[in-house]
Amino acid sequence: MKILMIGFSKTGNTYMLMDYLKQFNNSIVERRFNIIEHIDIDIKEYDLIIVGSNTWGDGKIPKNCKDFIINNATKYNKKWIVFGTGNSIFAHFCRAVDSIKKILNDTDNTVLETFKYEQRFILNDLDNEQERKLDNIIKIISN
């Protein structure tokens, strides 16, 4: 299985989970972008896309991440894992994850799992639901 893992981040927190996941499959192709870089990536050759994003402003997907999702989701039907980081003091904690999932579902793509975490990824700080979701992600990418 050919996997692309792509992260969008303002502070680097999104990349923390990416660093963790790489240990479970060393053939993952990885790309990292800040939230203002223009990107043009075609996902045609990949079987699974893992995308991570921060939530911008009042619960929005950063523009370059949204453009990437829409440009590819409307061309291909792929399998996806979506994750995001946020700050739970805000009403729209990790809403970008939910919005990305909606776009993917509306375009007949398949979201295998979603994962949200508080600011920095710290394995020992996960609750039971997060642990279950993370275990599922590891199973998916390890096969």
Side-chain angles (χ1 to χ4, degrees):
M1 174 168 50
K2 201 159 183 197
I3 303 172
L4 171 66
M5 182 164 53
I6 184 165
F8 299 86
S9 187
K10 179 180 178 184
T11 62
N13 289 341
T14 304
Y15 307 144
M16 295 177 78
L17 182 62
M18 294 171 69
D19 290 338
Y20 178 76
L21 293 176
K22 286 189 303 187
Q23 70 181 307
F24 299 100
N25 185 326
N26 61 5
S27 66
I28 292 174
V29 175
E30 178 187 47
R31 301 288 305 272
R32 298 176 182 214
F33 297 94
N34 67 43
I35 60 171
I36 60 170
E37 286 179 277
H38 172 75
I39 64 164
D40 186 19
I41 297 175
D42 188 304
I43 64 169
K44 182 179 183 176
E45 66 182 270
Y46 298 97
D47 304 302
L48 173 67
I49 298 84
I50 303 169
V51 64
S53 178
N54 61 305
T55 297
W56 186 249
D58 192 24
K60 294 182 172 64
I61 307 167
K63 182 179 178 349
N64 63 345
C65 179
K66 187 174 183 178
D67 290 346
F68 164 77
I69 299 294
I70 291 171
N71 290 340
N72 283 288
T74 55
K75 286 186 215 173
Y76 311 108
N77 294 336
K78 296 287 184 173
K79 293 178 182 169
W80 297 73
I81 293 171
V82 182
F83 73 92
T85 179
N87 189 326
S88 60
I89 65 167
F90 295 107
H92 305 295
F93 172 69
C94 290
R95 181 164 288 168
V97 171
D98 302 325
S99 299
I100 292 168
K101 180 180 178 183
K102 181 172 180 5
I103 292 167
L104 293 170
N105 286 336
D106 288 351
T107 54
D108 294 325
N109 285 266
T110 303
V111 178
L112 300 175
E113 188 63 83
T114 61
F115 184 77
K116 301 175 184 180
Y117 60 96
E118 180 79 29
Q119 295 184 7
R120 300 170 93 37
F121 176 75
I122 301 171
L123 189 60
N124 293 333
D125 288 350
L126 302 180
D127 62 29
N128 289 339
E129 179 66 8
Q130 288 172 310
E131 288 178 3
R132 184 195 64 74
K133 286 177 169 274
L134 186 58
D135 286 346
N136 191 40
I137 290 169
I138 292 166
K139 285 179 194 168
I140 293 166
I141 66 173
S142 297
N143 292 330

